[in-house]
Each structure stands twice: as C-alpha cells, then as structure tokens.
Amino acid sequence: MANEEEARLIADARRGDGRALALLVAAHQQAVRGFLRRFAGHWADADDLAQEAFVTAWRKLDRFEGRSSFRVWVCGIGYRIARDARRAHRRAQARDYAWLEEGDSEEGGAPLEDRIAVARAMSQLPDDQRAAVALCLGEGFSHAEAAAILDAPLGTVKSHVLRGRERLLKILDATP
Amino acid sequence: MTSEDRLLAALSAPAAPAKDMHFALEVMRRAEAERFRADAARRVLRGAGLAVLGAGALILASSWAAENADALLNGALALAVGWTGIGVLRRRIGAPR
C-alpha cells in the first residue's frame, strides 16, 4: 500500500470511516497475525490478540503520529498486548501448530515437518529473542522497525536476532 | 539442504493468509461493539451527571426556601396579588386574555 493511500485511509478512519479501517486491517493483517502467531504460538489466541491490537489501534488512532509506519505501530500494540496477557495469565499454554497446516505444505519452499520443528524450537526461545526472530526473520521487518515495535535499543534487537537464530539452528541440527 | 537453509525456508513461509475478509470483518464487529459500549457508558455518565446536578439544585433550593420561608411567602403573595390585579384590570378595559 502506498504511503499517501495509507495516510488518506488513516485520516478517514480517524473520522470514523469503517471502510477505511477495514482496508487498513486487510492490508496489514498478514504481518500482524504472522508476527503474533510466531510469538504467541497458539494460533487462535494469536488471532484474538491481533484483533484486539487492531481495535486498540483504531481507538488510539488520534495518537498515531506517523513516526513509524502503521504496520509497525500496530505490531507494537499487538506485542504489548500479547506480552501483558502472557504475564497476566502465567499459565502453561498449550501450543498449537494447526496454523502451520493452513497453507500448502510446500508453501514458501519449506516442508511442513521443518515448519513444525522451527515453531517448536521458537517456543524454547526467551520472549524477547522469539519476538525479534519472528519480526526480522519471519515477517521481514528491518532491525530498526523491530526495535521500534519492541521498544528496545537497535543493538539489543540485532543481538536477539543473532542469538535466537543460533539457538534455532542448534535445535534444528538436532532434529532429523 | 543445510540447517540454515531449512531454518530460513521455514521462517519465511507465511504464518498467516495474505487475504482474510473474515478476520477484517471480525475486527470491524469488535470495533463497533467497543464504540457502542463507549457511547452507552458516555450516555450513562452524562445522565448521572445531570441527575447529580438536578439533585444538588433541588437540595439548594429547598434549603434556601426553608431558611427564607417568610420572604418566599411574601414573594408568592405579592406575585398572586399582582397577577390578580392584572387580571382585574384586563377585564375592566375589555382586553383579550
């Protein structure tokens, strides 16, 4: 989506235009849901969190200053919601990998077994490393964008991505 | 295929569908529900505020009336006399009511 079009949709959504909000959601849902699915693990919860993130973004749209892209801003909201929900519940959540089977098993050139193995390995990473890996290696955000989403220094994010990747590789090496 | 290739391929596979109207509709439904809740809460707060103001004004008026019963009585009497006087005068000169 072009920047001008996005700015126009945001302005329209601020005025209460539901269609503009729907178009913004449609344009960015894949990145926000993808990130939260990789971060939260449980796909149904992750989609619920993503919906909450978009509704919160719509409610706080007046506070969006445009210093980052809309996508980065909503991902940041989603991350904070997911992190707070995790802290609040503090319960062992059953992790579900059903979302991995949604698409074609050869989609993206990766066999389903590898995607499940990586998802399982992701669940063993600490929260901040998993979030950084999900954003930068999973959803293609730049390190700077991930730093804005996670509200963390750029160097810390780079280090999380590097260490997370190394740990994933170690786990994957041990998986046949 | 190295572990690194496997990892990158697995991570770059999309974790969510590119298009999902059901998801967008669900967000819209939740946004509308939230807007309705916020409006209802605003209406309740406004009603409660007006009720508190009305009750306050009523208490002030009744306490003032209790303290100034004589003045209130005199005022009401003067109003009644004046009203009656105007009525009588209108009837005498035949003015329409």
Side-chain angles (χ1 to χ4, degrees), chain A residues 22-98:
Chain A
L23 288 172
L24 284 169
V25 172
H28 300 300
Q29 59 87 22
Q30 188 180 26
V32 177
R33 286 167 81 188
F35 162 55
L36 290 174
R37 281 178 173 191
R38 291 183 209 271
F39 176 67
H42 193 291
W43 74 274
D45 280 354
D47 278 7
D48 195 53
L49 295 170
Q51 284 171 8
E52 199 177 328
F54 277 110
V55 172
T56 306
W58 167 75
R59 205 176 53 229
K60 295 182 173 174
L61 210 47
D62 282 338
R63 297 187 209 166
F64 176 62
E65 295 166 346
R67 279 184 293 187
S68 59
S69 71
F70 182 74
R71 180 179 300 210
V72 165
W73 187 60
V74 179
C75 278
I77 292 173
Y79 172 65
R80 285 187 290 280
I81 290 173
R83 196 188 51 192
D84 293 348
R86 204 173 164 79
R87 280 180 188 161
H89 293 299
R90 282 276 173 215
R91 62 188 155 97
Q93 289 183 331
R95 300 182 77 84
D96 189 334
Y97 304 107

Side-chain angles (χ1 to χ4, degrees), chain A residues 29 37-38 48 59 165 173, chain B residues 3-4 13 15-17 30 34:
Chain A
Q29 59 87 22
R37 281 178 173 191
R38 291 183 209 271
D48 195 53
R59 205 176 53 229
R165 191 166 151 276
D173 273 338
Chain B
S3 293
E4 188 156 347
R30 284 175 73 155
E34 180 134 330

Side-chain angles (χ1 to χ4, degrees), chain B residues 21-75:
Chain B
M21 278 319 290
H22 176 74
F23 180 86
L25 287 174
E26 192 56 30
V27 171
M28 297 302 296
R29 191 193 62 73
R30 284 175 73 155
E32 279 305 314
E34 180 134 330
R35 196 204 309 250
F36 179 78
R37 261 201 310 275
D39 283 350
R42 217 172 290 131
R43 272 199 301 273
V44 167
L45 276 177
R46 197 166 43 210
L50 284 175
V52 166
L53 276 178
L58 200 68
I59 290 167
L60 278 178
S62 47
S63 69
W64 180 85
E67 282 173 15
N68 302 281
D70 287 345
L72 195 68
L73 198 64
N74 287 341

